[in-house]
Amino acid sequence: MAVGIFDSGLGGLTVLDAVTQRLPGVPFVYLADSAHAPYGVRTSDDIFELTCSSVERLFDAGCNLVILACNTASAAALRRMQESWVPRDKRVLGVFVPLIEALTERQWGDNSPPREVGIKHVALFATPATVSSRAFQRELAFRAIGVDVEAQACGGVVDAIEDGDMILAEALVRSHVDALLRKMPQPDAAILGCTHYPLMQDNFQTALGTEVRVFSQASLVAESLADYLERHPEMQGAGESAFLTTGDPGRVSDRATQFLRRQIVFTAA
């Protein structure tokens, strides 16, 4: 019984890398729905159906706990899945809450009423589907008041990263940051609301300026997962780690190896 990690493509490998370093004894099964990526331009119903299909595949692989490392899936599908689809003996968790807990400086699992926090102006960079869902703002409102969020839909960035075109990705990051700064000239913090974006974190930071604190998800999700497994040891289990994809295993393996700079071999899901 490994822990499942799902992403529409390869961005979730940033989360996988962090959780394997934080939890070296835990086996993980990573599933990339490469055949249907990117999710960020799809409708919420499409995202829900595709996410359920992939998570079901991870359940079939013996994963009782699945992390949606895809922000778009977390934003557009997670709540609906938890309310109407996830079996009683399974758990599906997203990646927004650990990020917001860090942003608002709340302890893991702090469910006290929302309060004012030190950060007042937040820039959110995410896919179009994540932005339109307003899931980040909804989750933030459970924990903080008085925070102004300006969201920027970063069309094209995921595609460029998945295609390995980092020059185009860098140009798109600069363009999207410029567009955000025209709407919010002085953000206190910036949220990289897509697991692909940590690969471009230095580019975001350079474009935003050193005075803006940039929050990225991978290490925060890893710490949150470690805390969760400590409280729910029955979800940790045992098994073999694996990499699965709905796309071309050879092509996805090559891209993944470039991402993590170590050999990664995917098999067909």
Side-chain angles (χ1 to χ4, degrees):
M1 187 175 68
V3 174
I5 296 184
F6 166 71
D7 189 59
S8 60
L10 298 179
L13 290 174
T14 59
V15 172
L16 177 70
D17 213 26
V19 297
T20 52
Q21 290 181 42
R22 178 64 179 82
L23 299 162
V26 176
F28 293 95
V29 177
Y30 183 93
L31 174 57
D33 189 16
S34 309
H36 302 104
Y39 278 18
V41 294
R42 292 182 175 275
T43 67
S44 59
D45 283 343
D46 281 345
I47 295 165
F48 176 77
E49 291 172 6
L50 289 169
T51 303
C52 288
S53 177
S54 290
V55 172
E56 184 70 40
R57 175 67 181 85
L58 287 168
F59 288 163
D60 291 343
C63 302
N64 288 341
L65 169 63
V66 175
I67 307 300
L68 299 187
C70 175
N71 283 266
T72 300
S74 292
L78 178 60
R79 182 177 292 271
R80 184 175 168 188
M81 292 174 71
Q82 291 174 332
E83 290 175 348
S84 65
W85 184 83
V86 178
R88 296 175 66 90
D89 61 335
K90 312 289 186 185
R91 294 291 182 273
V92 179
L93 305 176
V95 289
F96 272 141
V97 171
L99 191 65
I100 291 171
E101 287 176 334
L103 178 72
T104 57
E105 297 184 344
R106 296 171 73 115
Q107 297 297 314
W108 308 121
D110 180 353
N111 293 315
S112 60
R115 59 178 182 266
E116 289 192 357
V117 295
I119 292 175
K120 299 299 182 185
H121 304 285
V122 176
L124 170 65
F125 297 96
T127 66
T130 296
V131 170
S132 64
S133 75
R134 294 188 62 80
F136 178 84
Q137 291 90 326
R138 183 176 63 245
E139 293 291 344
L140 180 63
F142 290 140
R143 294 163 177 81
I145 57 176
V147 181
D148 180 26
V149 178
E150 188 65 59
Q152 176 64 33
C154 298
V157 175
V158 170
D159 305 77
I161 293 173
E162 289 277 331
D163 290 338
D165 191 344
M166 306 312 284
I167 293 176
L168 174 58
E170 291 173 12
L172 288 169
V173 166
R174 289 194 299 271
S175 175
H176 289 308
V177 171
D178 286 346
L180 183 287
L181 292 177
R182 287 195 291 271
K183 296 179 288 184
M184 179 181 279
Q186 293 183 307
D188 303 314
I191 302 299
L192 304 188
C194 174
T195 48
H196 286 74
Y197 297 174
L199 297 167
M200 311 300 298
Q201 183 166 347
D202 289 346
N203 302 93
F204 276 101
Q205 187 72 74
T206 298
L208 287 163
T210 56
E211 69 279 3
V212 179
R213 185 178 178 188
V214 175
F215 287 82
S216 189
Q217 291 174 308
S219 60
L220 299 173
V221 172
E223 198 60 41
S224 181
L225 177 59
D227 176 77
Y228 182 87
L229 290 176
E230 184 176 336
R231 290 182 286 111
H232 302 278
E234 73 280 3
M235 286 293 178
Q236 181 168 321
E240 298 292 329
S241 294
F243 295 88
L244 306 174
T245 180
T246 59
D248 180 324
R251 182 180 183 278
V252 174
S253 297
D254 289 343
R255 292 289 187 224
T257 298
Q258 292 176 357
F259 265 49
L260 296 185
R261 293 184 174 87
R262 59 184 173 87
Q263 185 69 34
I264 303 292
V265 179
F266 277 80
T267 58

